[in-house]
Amino acid sequence: MSTADDDARLAPEEVRAIETLSRQYENKRAACIEALKLVQRNHRWISDGRLRALAPLLDMTPDELDGVATFYNLIFRRPVGRHVILLCDSVSCWIMGHDALLQHLERRLGIRRGETTADGRFTLLPIVCLGHCDHAPAMMIDDALHGDLDAARIDALLNACRGAVLRWNAR
Ligand code: FES
């Protein structure tokens, strides 16, 4: 279970949106991933409090919904930064230079994989195959998929996210 924000609850408009969503399915449980995404769009991650509030709207127990949220690697159960970088570490990307790109990202961001920058702007996470193997190495930043990566392309993408000069790490 997550570590903070446990008192948070769903806003009334979120509850209405989830009820509207779940009515589109014969079984409310079928809406669980979309409902988790909806809550995550508003809060960046799914706190324990919000998960507990969401579960009964989908006729699920919190443990059942947590199982789905934990299994689905695009649902975040811990706080993340404004931009989430998901670097693929599956075989095609690994062969095509994953390790060097990971080191580059870690240097540029000043964090290790699994961490969030001190300014809360970026979180760097691993992910399994993104289905973009013909353009390996690949990563996602938020909802956007990027392939054929090299250090220069990564720098350009980070700069585009920041809209400002990066704090270059001299390591
Ligand atoms: S192995 Fe990285 S996108 Fe498939």
Side-chain angles (χ1 to χ4, degrees):
M1 289 277 180
S2 48
T3 55
D5 204 18
D6 284 350
D7 292 333
R9 293 291 181 266
L10 299 176
E13 56 270 25
E14 287 178 298
V15 172
R16 284 195 293 275
I18 290 157
E19 287 172 343
T20 299
L21 177 68
S22 65
R23 278 197 291 271
Q24 297 170 17
Y25 296 85
E26 194 169 318
N27 184 336
K28 288 183 178 182
R29 291 168 168 246
C32 66
I33 297 237
E34 287 307 310
L36 286 163
K37 286 181 177 176
L38 186 154
V39 174
Q40 184 165 281
R41 271 196 298 276
N42 293 336
H43 305 282
R44 297 189 201 163
W45 67 290
I46 307 293
S47 69
D48 288 348
R50 292 193 182 98
L51 185 132
R52 284 193 294 268
L54 177 57
L57 300 176
L58 301 167
D59 290 341
M60 298 175 79
T61 68
D63 282 348
E64 288 171 334
L65 187 57
D66 189 38
V68 174
T70 304
F71 179 77
Y72 188 60
N73 53 20
L74 294 179
I75 297 296
F76 308 123
R77 289 287 283 123
R78 294 180 183 276
V80 293
R82 191 183 311 164
H83 300 290
V84 179
I85 299 171
L86 297 157
L87 182 64
C88 175
D89 63 1
S90 290
V91 63
S92 296
C93 290
W94 182 75
I95 290 169
M96 294 300 288
H98 162 274
D99 290 357
L101 293 183
L102 174 61
Q103 289 174 15
H104 183 77
L105 273 164
E106 289 179 337
R107 278 198 305 273
R108 288 296 183 250
L109 297 171
I111 57 174
R112 306 301 297 265
R113 183 169 56 178
E115 295 178 346
T116 297
T117 55
D119 62 3
R121 194 175 294 260
F122 293 104
T123 297
L124 176 59
L125 298 172
I127 194 165
V128 295
C129 180
L130 291 164
H132 206 44
C133 314
D134 51 339
H135 290 281
M139 69 180 186
M140 283 183 75
I141 301 181
D142 304 326
D143 293 329
L145 184 59
H146 304 281
D148 301 316
L149 295 174
D150 57 22
R153 175 121 175 87
I154 282 178
D155 289 348
L157 291 167
L158 294 178
N159 277 323
C161 286
R162 283 195 150 158
V165 177
L166 281 172
R167 177 178 68 84
W168 296 94
N169 190 319
R171 280 186 295 170

